[in-house]
Amino acid sequence: MRSEEDLIRTLRTAAGHAEPELTLAASVAARRRSRRRAGWARTALAAAAVVLVAGGTTAVLSDGGGRARPAAEATRGVERAVEVWPEAMFTVPGTAVDGREYQPMAAISPAEVLVSAVAPGVKPDRLEVFDTGIRQFRTVTSMPKPNVPGYRFRDVKARDNHIVWWGETPHAGEGAWADFWYVPRAGGESGHVAKLTGELAQVDAFDIAGDHIVFSVERGGVYRLPLTGGKPEKIKGTDGLHLRSWPLAAGYTAGESHERNQNRTVNLETGRSADVSVPSGARGLICGIQWCAGVLDGGPFRQRPDGSDRRPIPADLRPLVFEGLPADRFVLGRLSSGPVIQALYDLTTEEVVGLDEAEFGGGVPTVFSWREGSNLTVVNLLAVM
Amino acid sequence: MEFEDFVRARGPALLRYGYVLTGNPDDAADLVQEALLKLGDSWRRVRNKDNPEAYVRITMARQHVSWWRGRRRERITDDVPEGSYTDAHSTGELWRELATLPGRQRVVLVLRYYEDLSDQEIADILGISRGTVRSLAFRALNTLRVRPAVFEGRHS
C-alpha cells in the first residue's frame, strides 16, 4: 500500500515539473484583446502562443511571429550527477528514527545541508542539519506550524549564526499573508519574526544580512526587517529591484516577468550599480555575479554580465526560471529529448549533468535529492568542485 | 492590484495547479486561460470583494469537472514525472494511475492533497455534499492503493 504522503509528493513533484517559461500574461492579454475585437475567438489561442514547459512535452516556443527556432546542438549522452560529481553526493537514511521523512531544503556550506523532517501530517515540523564531515544529523529546532489550512513552508537560508525560513498562505491576493521565522544556527527555540500582508506578502526572494532579514517582493522593492521583529522598512532606492543574494539586487527591463531581462545589478551596501549587457532579442536574462543565462533566438544562451563569452547552451535544455542562478554557476532545466528529464548545465565546465526527477528545495535550488529504497541520495551544489 | 499584475504574479502557480488538475500541459494552459478570462471580465468586482486567486482556483476546479463530463479520456497520461532510477514506488507510476481516475475523483484528490482543503471546503467548491466528497476520495484512494491516514482531523 502507498501512503497519503506518496500521493502528496507525486502531486507536488508533478507541479514542480510544470514550469511556465514565458508569456502566460501575454497570451491572456492577447486573448482578451482579441475577444474585445471579434467576440469569442477560439483561434486566438493558437495565435497567442501559450508557452508552458512541462517535462517531456515539446514546448511551443514562439517569438511572436510563431516561429520556433532551434539554436545550439542538442545534448547527447547526458552523464548523471553520480558519475560527474561524486564529491558532492552523499546518501543518508530517508527517515528519522521517529519515522519522519527527511527532505533536503538548502545547502548551507560544502559540508552541511539543511533538512526538514516531515511528519505524516505532511508539513515539515523539524529542522535538522546534516554534516557530511561527521555524517550526522543535528536537530536545529522544531518548526511551529501556523494553524491555517494550506499554509506552505517556502524557503530556508542560513548565514553566519542565523537560520531564517518563511512560509505563506496558499492563495495570494487580498487577505493573503506570509511570515518569517528565526532560529540561531546553533539551534534552540524558533521565534516568529513578522507577519507580512498585502503587497509585502508577495515575497519573491530573501536573504540574511547581519542581524536583518532582507527580502524583495514580486512588484519590486527590497525591504529589511530586524531578526528580532518589528516592521519591514524599504531600503532607499530599491524601487523595482529584486534581491539576489545580499547585498546584490537585480533591476529589469520592462516586460512580463518571465520575458524581461535583467539589465543591471546593484550592490545595496555600496549603492554601486553595474549595467548588464543585454543582446537584442534576448528574453528572460538572469544574472548572478559571474554569469547570466536567458533565451536568445529561440534557444537558451549564457554570457558574462558584460556581454563577453556569449554562447548557446545545448538547445534541448529548457531553463526553469528562478530568482537567480543556482550557486551562481548552474542553469537548471528540463531536457526535451532523451531519457534524462531534468538537468543542470554547469556554466564553468559547459557540461550538462542529469538529475532525473530529483526534488529540490524552495527558492533558488542549491540541493537536489531523490529516494532510493529507504535511503536518500543528495547532491550539494556548493560541494561541486 | 491590476489584472495584468495579478496574472503576471500568480500565473506560474496557477499553471502548476492546472497541471496537477488536468495531468497535461495543454489542458492546464487552456484551463488557466479560460479561468483568467472569466476573472478578467469580473476583475473589479472580484478584486474589491473576494480573493481573486481563490476565485480562479475555484473556477478551474469547477471548469475541469465540467470539461471532464464532456470528454473522453483522450490522453491517458503525460510522461511526467516518469522515474528512471528511483524506487519502484516512484512518483511516475502513481502519476500515471492518477490519470486513469474519473474526473471528479481526481479533482477531489487534488483539492484535498495539493490544495490542502478540508472536505467541507471541497464540498462547497464542487457543490456536492461532504459525504460525497468522502466517498469520491475513498474510492479514488482505493483505486490508487493509497492507505488513508488518520491524523489531526485534517479532512474533517
Side-chain angles (χ1 to χ4, degrees), chain A residues 4 31 55 152 174 356-357, chain B residues 33 47 83-85 113-114:
Chain A
E4 289 182 317
R31 285 184 66 181
R152 298 266 187 275
E174 278 124 78
D356 289 285
E357 59 175 306
Chain B
Q33 288 201 18
R47 184 190 58 183
S84 33
Y85 57 88
Y113 296 103
Y114 183 75

Side-chain angles (χ1 to χ4, degrees), chain A residues 27-89:
Chain A
S27 39
V28 170
R31 285 184 66 181
R32 294 188 83 205
R33 280 196 300 276
S34 152
R35 255 189 353 166
R36 280 199 289 272
R37 276 200 308 271
W40 177 250
R42 189 72 195 167
T43 50
L45 182 63
V50 178
V51 176
L52 177 75
V53 174
T57 321
T58 306
V60 183
L61 273 174
S62 165
D63 55 10
R67 291 164 291 153
R69 287 180 280 180
E73 203 174 300
T75 305
R76 289 202 187 89
V78 173
E79 286 194 287
R80 290 187 162 92
V82 67
E83 293 145 359
V84 188
W85 298 326
E87 75 281 7
M89 297 191 61

